[in-house]
């Protein structure tokens, strides 16, 4: 045992047979904040990260054009007032390299590095009922034990390449957007194919088109995409936000619906009116105002947009009409326009020149809606009997979202129960934070919470603080454990499905529903009650001395 560890044990002042009080898996924003909280408590804590750098999604997704589509001033840690004032963003929406610089700056600022272990991919976790602790195994053979284990593995971290016939026979270069190389990829003079038109592709396509000899886009479902309107950060806006950050953050937390309030460089409240009860003039004024602002602010538009098809149709038609104007060729526009599913039922995309890219001579579109990709050959992609020969294929084909990263770790709880068995059909977790039969194991940004529909930064900070208090409450002593009562987990699942049952999300084949992965059970994976409601529910979960949980102590 090293000196630092001995010092920490003295600080915590408990006897513990585990090597670590808390083991955190994943060095994204959530895992790093968890680490900071544990360090503040003086716990013996370790964070294992699979990559050779930190940042989670912002470490892996380095494809051209990768940038956040929540405003930088709102997509940053909210828990430290000094940090908020110290850091300055250069753009309205930070690009991947700047986000990585921010994450590294935070790790320095909070002195997190001594407890981060890179290149350490967790493969399995087994609960020991006698000691109330977890044994954690890793790909490189490091095994350790921890009293509490926090899975901060991310909800968009398991990239997927569909199992296309012949995919391994392809002889050209291949790239997956979510595992992009660190070195710049040069497309100059190359014919490039990209499969997928979700958020990643929509960001990458305009930049790759500028470089490639020819770019062919294989689109199955046209996305709804809103202009992002990125620009250098408006200094007046930065000054405004920094002058009122405490109030701004409170409004993000409690009065925002999705965790962001900036629209057209002003703080706003979500629109609580119905899209179909207001006049057409009022409705269009709201849509136009948000179109001018750009990005994802339609999530705080009329309250019934994701509940009522008629309301949703008004926005879908508005966006289609705006989109039509961005594409020169009317026939091509018809292929690119999204139809047949509600807007926002798949996550809205936000783009910089996406549709205008199709006005270039070196870009073509292949619709695979009625003629799916038949196979991949040594030279390219075959659709409807035609081979599209390419030097490069880019897979922008998304993620085994929400549950994928956790499910790839073999997790064995009380009574040798496998977590994937407990989650068979649909994941189950009380408040999205902890599952019955898996004591002392916590999920951040996991299933059954609302990471998918609110700003992940706001959600994960709130969850970290909840987990931090829960660990402090249950303790570190040998034999101590905490898990939800079975009826608490049942109640939460009933509540989650009740809240989500009328949502239009059910009408699209999206990762929200697990519907993008062949064979994955179709189920609502996230809580749709909004951020404020989720915060209230989790606070209630702590009431009456955590009566919804079973906290066992040493006899
Ligand atoms: O993945 P996606 P993504 N044959 O699942 C297609 C976040 N994000 O990486 O729609 C043919 O959205 C698939 O077609 P379809 C954001 O939350 C944020 O782009 O299933 N095509 C779709 O077009 C986002 O929602 C940011 O019919 C196949 C595409 O591949 C989430 O990450 C940036 C196919 C996958 O799109 C995921 O985005 C990037 C097949 N067999 C990502 N399988 C920002 O912050 C899949 N496709 C800006």
């Amino acid at each position: 045992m090293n000196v630092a560890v001995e010092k920490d044990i003295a600080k915590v002042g408990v006897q513990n047979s585990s090597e670590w009080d808390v083991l955190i898996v994943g060095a994204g924003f959530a895992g790093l904040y968890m680490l900071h909280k544990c360090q503040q408590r003086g716990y013996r804590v370790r964070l294992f990260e699979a990559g050779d750098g930190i940042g989670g999604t912002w470490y892996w997704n380095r494809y051209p054009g990768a940038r956040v589509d929540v405003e930088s001033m709102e997509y940053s840690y909210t828990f430290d007032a000094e940090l908020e004032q110290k850091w300055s963003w250069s753009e309205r929406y930070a690009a991947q390299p700047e986000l990585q610089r921010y994450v590294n700056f935070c790790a320095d600022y909070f002195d997190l590095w001594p407890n981060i272990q890179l290149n350490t991919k967790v493969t399995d976790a087994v609960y020991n009922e006698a000691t109330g602790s977890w044994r954690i195994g890793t790909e490189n053979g490091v095994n350790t034990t921890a009293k509490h284990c926090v899975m901060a593995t991310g909800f968009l971290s398991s990239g997927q390449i569909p199992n296309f016939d012949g995919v391994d026979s392809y002889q050209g270069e291949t790239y997956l957007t979510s595992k992009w190389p660190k070195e710049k990829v040069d497309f100059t003079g190359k014919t490039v194919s990209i499969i997928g038109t979700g958020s990643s592709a929509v960001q990458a396509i305009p930049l790759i088109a500028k470089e490639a000899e020819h770019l062919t886009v294989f689109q199955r479902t046209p996305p709804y995409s809103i202009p992002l309107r990125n620009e250098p950060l408006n200094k007046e806006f930065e000054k405004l936000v920094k002058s009122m950050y405490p109030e701004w953050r409170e409004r993000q937390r409690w009065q925002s619906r999705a965790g962001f309030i900036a629209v057209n460089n002003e703080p706003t409240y979500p629109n609580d009116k119905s899209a179909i009860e207001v006049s057409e003039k009022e409705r269009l004024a709201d849509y136009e105002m948000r179109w001018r602002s750009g990005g994802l602010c339609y999530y705080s538009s009329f309250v019934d947009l994701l509940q009522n098809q008629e309301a949703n149709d008004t926005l879908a038609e508005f966006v289609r009409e705006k989109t039509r104007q961005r594409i020169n060729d009317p026939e091509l526009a018809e292929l690119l326009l999204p139809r047949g599913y509600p807007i926002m039922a798949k996550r809205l995309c936000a783009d910089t020149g996406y549709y205008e890219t199709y006005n270039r001579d070196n870009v073509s579109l292949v619709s695979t809606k009625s003629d799916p990709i038949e196979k991949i050959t040594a030279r390219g992609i075959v659709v409807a009997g035609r081979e599209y020969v390419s030097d490069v294929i880019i897979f922008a084909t998304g993620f085994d979202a929400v549950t994928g990263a956790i499910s790839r770790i073999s997790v064995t709880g009380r009574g040798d129960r496998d977590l994937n068995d407990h989650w068979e059909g649909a994941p189950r977790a009380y408040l999205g934070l902890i599952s019955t039969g898996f004591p002392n194991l916590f999920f951040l940004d996991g299933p059954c919470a609302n990471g998918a529909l609110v700003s992940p930064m706001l959600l994960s900070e709130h969850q970290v603080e909840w987990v931090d208090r829960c660990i402090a409450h249950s303790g570190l002593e040998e034999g101590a454990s905490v898990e939800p009562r079975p009826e608490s987990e049942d109640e939460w699942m009933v509540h989650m499905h009740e809240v989500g049952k009328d949502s239009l999300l059910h009408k699209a084949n999206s990762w929200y529903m697990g519907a993008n992965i062949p064979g994955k059970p179709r189920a609502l994976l996230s809580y749709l009650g909004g951020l404020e409601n989720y915060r209230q529910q989790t606070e209630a979960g702590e009431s009456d001395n955590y009566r919804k949980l079973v906290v066992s102590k040493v006899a």
Side-chain angles (χ1 to χ4, degrees):
M1 191 181 287
N2 66 35
V3 177
V5 169
E6 278 177 340
K7 196 175 93 214
D8 282 347
I9 291 175
K11 231 192 284 173
V12 175
V14 294
Q15 291 300 311
N16 192 326
S17 64
S18 302
E19 202 171 342
W20 305 107
D21 298 325
V22 183
L23 190 286
I24 301 160
V25 186
F29 280 113
L32 292 171
Y33 182 36
M34 191 76 239
L35 176 58
H36 174 56
K37 291 301 267 185
C38 291
Q39 288 189 176
Q40 282 183 322
R41 292 261 185 200
Y43 293 160
R44 299 169 306 159
V45 56
R46 202 73 168 166
L47 185 153
F48 285 175
E49 163 56 49
D52 67 1
I54 60 172
T57 201
W58 299 114
Y59 171 83
W60 297 105
N61 286 269
R62 300 159 183 270
Y63 59 83
R67 71 172 67 247
V68 66
D69 54 12
V70 174
E71 304 222 8
S72 312
M73 293 302 291
E74 301 192 310
Y75 191 82
S76 46
Y77 280 136
T78 77
F79 63 86
D80 189 285
E82 267 181 40
L83 173 69
E84 281 177 336
Q85 296 299 329
K86 216 177 177 86
W87 182 264
S88 276
W89 296 102
S90 67
E91 292 181 275
R92 183 174 174 200
Y93 298 94
Q96 180 271 337
E98 189 169 22
L99 284 155
Q100 256 226 302
R101 282 200 295 281
Y102 176 70
V103 164
N104 281 275
F105 177 85
C106 293
D108 292 343
Y109 190 73
F110 297 114
D111 195 20
L112 302 179
W113 291 107
N115 291 316
I116 297 174
Q117 192 167 317
L118 300 173
N119 299 308
T120 307
K121 185 168 181 157
V122 169
T123 51
D124 57 284
V126 180
Y127 185 63
N128 180 330
E129 295 191 40
T131 58
S133 60
W134 287 87
R135 190 199 55 75
I136 288 122
T138 66
E139 208 168 63
N140 54 13
V142 175
N143 288 307
T144 194
T145 53
K147 182 76 204 161
H148 298 273
C149 179
V150 182
M151 294 288 179
T153 42
F155 63 99
L156 290 164
S157 46
S158 279
Q160 67 122 6
I161 295 184
N163 192 18
F164 295 114
D165 191 16
V167 65
D168 294 332
S169 66
Y170 179 65
Q171 297 297 305
E173 297 167 49
T174 56
Y175 300 98
L176 175 62
T177 46
S178 56
K179 223 170 180 187
W180 201 263
K182 283 186 185 162
E183 310 72 45
K184 178 178 164 33
V185 180
D186 188 0
F187 296 109
T188 315
K190 293 181 180 162
T191 52
V192 180
S193 290
I194 184 165
I195 303 175
T197 52
S199 298
S200 304
V202 153
Q203 290 189 321
I205 283 168
L207 293 175
I208 296 171
K210 284 185 186 155
E211 213 175 277
E213 175 75 20
H214 192 89
L215 175 67
T216 307
V217 179
F218 292 79
Q219 167 193 272
R220 187 167 65 180
T221 309
Y224 290 93
S225 188
I226 309 295
L228 185 65
R229 307 202 193 286
N230 184 41
E231 58 186 6
L233 184 64
N234 179 315
K235 289 291 160 195
E236 286 306 307
F237 176 62
E238 182 184 19
K239 219 193 287 169
L240 170 75
V241 179
K242 284 192 170 180
S243 72
M244 57 179 291
Y245 244 144
E247 185 191 333
W248 194 286
R249 297 308 201 184
E250 275 307 281
R251 279 176 60 175
Q252 278 184 268
R253 289 182 193 113
W254 290 105
Q255 293 171 298
S256 70
R257 195 181 298 155
F260 32 85
I261 61 170
V263 181
N264 286 314
N265 290 341
E266 299 281 346
T268 60
Y269 292 98
N271 189 333
D272 59 3
K273 294 183 184 169
S274 155
I276 44 180
E277 283 170 12
V278 297
S279 67
E280 186 179 15
K281 189 171 169 215
E282 182 173 347
R283 186 166 59 236
L284 290 178
D286 183 274
Y287 293 163
E288 283 288 353
M289 177 273 288
R290 291 175 198 278
W291 188 262
R292 270 200 313 283
S293 184
L296 301 184
C297 58
Y298 288 101
Y299 284 97
S300 52
S301 181
F302 296 102
V303 71
D304 51 353
L305 285 174
L306 269 173
Q307 299 293 324
N308 182 310
Q309 186 63 58
E310 193 189 339
N312 189 282
D313 287 343
T314 63
L315 178 60
E317 192 44 45
F318 173 86
V319 170
R320 271 194 293 272
E321 190 43 45
K322 290 284 190 192
T323 304
R324 212 174 259 122
Q325 294 163 21
R326 300 175 65 186
I327 306 158
N328 294 345
D329 175 349
E331 268 181 44
L332 187 57
E334 286 314 302
L335 284 178
L336 286 164
L337 288 179
R339 292 181 201 285
Y341 68 97
I343 186 168
M344 298 192 291
K346 280 161 109 70
R347 183 156 173 304
L348 208 50
C349 298
D351 72 277
T352 303
Y354 173 65
Y355 292 107
E356 291 78 2
T357 299
Y358 292 94
N359 298 332
R360 297 174 65 101
D361 291 338
N362 71 331
V363 176
S364 45
L365 180 76
V366 176
S367 171
T368 66
K369 194 156 197 71
S370 41
D371 289 307
I373 292 172
E374 270 168 42
K375 60 179 173 181
I376 293 183
T377 64
R379 303 188 322 153
I381 299 170
V382 180
V383 175
R386 174 173 168 194
E387 184 180 33
Y388 294 84
V389 175
S390 314
D391 300 316
V392 180
I393 297 179
I394 296 167
F395 295 92
T397 41
F399 299 85
D400 182 355
V402 188
T403 52
I406 299 170
S407 298
R408 289 177 197 188
I409 299 172
S410 167
V411 178
T412 312
R414 200 187 280 292
D416 285 338
R417 181 137 172 88
D418 187 288
L419 185 63
N420 285 327
D421 291 339
H422 187 61
W423 285 3
E424 198 184 355
R428 305 173 54 77
Y430 174 58
L431 301 169
L433 286 162
I434 182 166
S435 282
T436 303
F438 298 84
N440 305 354
L441 177 76
F442 300 91
F443 312 111
L444 299 177
D445 278 331
C448 314
N450 48 6
L453 282 120
V454 305
S455 168
M457 190 69 90
L458 268 283
L459 174 74
S460 61
E461 272 191 17
H462 176 68
Q463 290 191 318
V464 164
E465 287 160 14
W466 193 98
V467 171
D468 169 59
R469 290 189 295 273
C470 188
I471 290 176
H473 175 75
S474 68
L476 304 171
E477 294 88 348
E478 185 166 343
S481 69
V482 58
E483 65 183 295
R485 295 180 190 285
E487 60 274 23
S488 307
E489 188 169 288
D490 288 347
E491 270 169 32
W492 178 251
M493 297 315 302
V494 168
H495 172 67
M496 181 181 127
H497 289 292
E498 184 58 31
V499 167
K501 75 178 187 335
D502 295 328
S503 167
L504 298 179
L505 258 58
H506 293 276
K507 292 192 171 181
N509 293 325
S510 71
W511 60 260
Y512 291 152
M513 305 294 302
N516 63 328
I517 301 291
K520 187 167 175 171
R522 189 186 176 103
L524 184 61
L525 298 175
S526 298
Y527 178 63
L528 305 184
L531 186 60
E532 299 89 284
N533 199 6
Y534 180 72
R535 291 176 69 92
Q536 277 164 3
Q537 297 282 344
T538 47
E539 285 181 5
E542 293 174 284
S543 62
D544 294 342
N545 212 19
Y546 290 88
R547 72 183 165 80
K548 301 264 185 188
L549 305 177
V550 185
V551 180
S552 314
K553 301 274 184 187
V554 195

